[in-house]
Amino acid sequence: MAVDPMLQSLVAGFSTEAQEVCQKVTLDLLDLEREGIDNEALAKVYTRLARHLHTLKGSAASLGLQDLSAIAHKLEDALAPLRKDIKPMPRPMVDMLLHGLDLFLLRAQAHAEGRGDALPDPTAALAQLVSDAPPPEDADEAMAMMAMAAAAPAHAAPAMPAPVQAAPSQPAAALSAADDDSAVDASWRVASHQVTALMREVERLREFRMRLEDRLRDISKAVDLLSARELLAPTARARAMLSAVTAGVRSDGHEATDIVDSLEEGLKSITTRPVRTILEPLQRMVRDLSRQLGKQARLSVVGAEVSLDRRLLEKLKGAMVHLLRNAVDHGIEMPDERERVGKHHEGALTLRVEQQGNILVLELSDDGRGIDVLHVRASAERKGLITAEEGARMHEAQIRDLIFRPGFSTRVDVTDTSGRGVGLDAVRSAVEAMQGRIEVVSTKGSGTRFMLTLPMELGSSPVLTVRTIDSQVGLPMLAVESTQLASPENLRIGRMKTQLDYNGQLVPVMDLGARMGLRASAPPSEGQPLIIVQSGGKRMALAVDAVVGDRDLVIRPLPAEVRDVPAYQGAAILSRGELLLILRPGWVVTDSTPQTVSMPQSRRALVVDDSLTARALHRAMLEAGGFTVHLAASGARAMERLQTETYDVIICDLEMEEMNGTEVIAKLRSQPDTKEIPVILVSANDSGAARSRGLAAGADGYLSKRECAAGRLLTEVLDVMSRRGARA
């Protein structure tokens, strides 16, 4: 069959991807025929195998390669009976599936080479696979072979695709290479880890440039000191030399910055490509699939020119295919049904791509029927994923999350598009493998929205640093629309809220210190900086105490225990080793009631945690609240500090090496000088059992690290200190 000329350029990439996926399927099949594997491990392999085959089918269909999609579907059919009764796969069945993969790859290679028109119909080849296989050993295997045989009538003549041309012998290959120097010069093959290593070196150069700027400021301060009146004449020559050196180093620094920028841009051009390269074929896929199902739907893409890491794009491709097929099949209604409820007969799907610093946000929304939580709950109970009692205790958000469970499907029968309970499970697995998260929001009758948030590592990003009270935080410049100064002319102050007149629109105003739970909310004063932040179509005017400046920084993801905290998307290391937390724009623009706290004065806190990021998070919160904060990276170091220092409160990590939080508390309570100090345990484990265990050990309070980073720490500290009767 012929491939659409517009898609032919993408088929070669699909062929390469198919080889990688088929290799994974081959390894899974070899695992399934091994003896001695427990049922739990076998079930995981069967599930992974089903995901890979589903990905092959969806990707092939998105490019219009219906023959390959049909082959993958028949392989899925063959696998389905074997998943019901988990046990090692019979060897004849493995042989047949491996031959099916060979057939898939041969035809994929032929399509990539433009020989798709010459390929015979695949049904005869599938029938030959079944006829050549040994007799089945059990009922499940017989059902699987019958599923494969259903691809063609029993009398179909055997036919195999044209074989791929054999590789030339070594001398011939060498001669061919020698005759085509231009092909050698056209491109190089470089391992991804080599490019990543170069990116790391560029980041080191940028950090070095930042340190150089600090050294120049130190020299300028030294010149100012030498310019004191009593030293003016004796130091004239030294000051002149230092000034000349400073000017020269500053010029060299600017040149170094240009070189680093060029290196980084060059590496980004090598490692990235526009996201449209994977999204454009999906528009055709949505059209073809909706026609196949008797529906009408159109996909619109916003932000298709965003450039992403090639590896990230390849990983995202399968997830996007699954989400869109799910939206068309389950979400979009039939045209007559849509018209009956007052909707346009053509369903609308929108895929929005947005980069916010080191965070990639993908949002897929449709205007379909939405998720029926009662139907989802009933389907999950019918398939044995939950019990009726568990379902009765679940709220709507928990029920919606059931759609990501392995094996879940609202379909009773299996179709070419759905019913196997693989698609959304594969999406969540892919997103979590990329250290991201996926959320779903739905309104019955109005539509569904899937939101994917993924970390990115693409060198430096421009960051605007702002200060609130004594705490500095960063904002991705991509989310900063403009800055203004507050004035009576541009503010609309009401009883319940304050708004900014911005380009003829009223934008809500939020005090950053109040949003972070560091102080009471109040309207901005005249001349106070306002940062207009936009994200996801929303705007917020953020009132800050000062704008420190903007610079290019390498934003790193937060540790796993605080990665889901909504306020922060990462952290950057400054020239002197300080950690700058980067706010998440989506959290900033969310309208939320700020937390009001009373501010302590001249109090001392000791933070004990073996995580650098956790110590920085706690320190920022406490210092902004007026505390003097000391840090200890271990329990032993904390005990050393307590021999010479006194503290009003201790914040201690529960899980630390050598001496954990409960052991620290035991030592504190055993000594007269420290037994009355309030102690708050902090842990990544927020279960009720862990909380009870921590309080039973003698802690005055217990917080998860997620609660701390969300702004609960300062309130808990004040509450614990008031209960303990610490000094005011």
Side-chain angles (χ1 to χ4, degrees), residues 554-574:
V554 178
I555 306 175
R556 300 291 189 195
L558 293 173
E561 63 266 23
V562 292
R563 191 166 291 147
D564 289 336
V565 173
Y568 305 109
Q569 70 180 42
I573 299 177
L574 302 180

Side-chain angles (χ1 to χ4, degrees), residues 37 74 160 209 257 265 310 453 532 576 584 589 619 717:
I37 304 179
K74 293 304 175 183
M160 293 293 288
R209 173 72 183 96
T257 299
E265 288 304 314
R310 295 171 184 268
T453 307
I532 290 81
R576 297 182 185 274
R584 191 188 300 273
V589 301
R619 181 177 189 170
V717 165

Side-chain angles (χ1 to χ4, degrees), residues 88-102:
M89 185 179 288
R91 182 161 298 177
M93 191 65 207
V94 174
D95 290 339
M96 189 170 67
L97 289 173
L98 288 174
H99 287 315
L101 288 178
D102 293 340

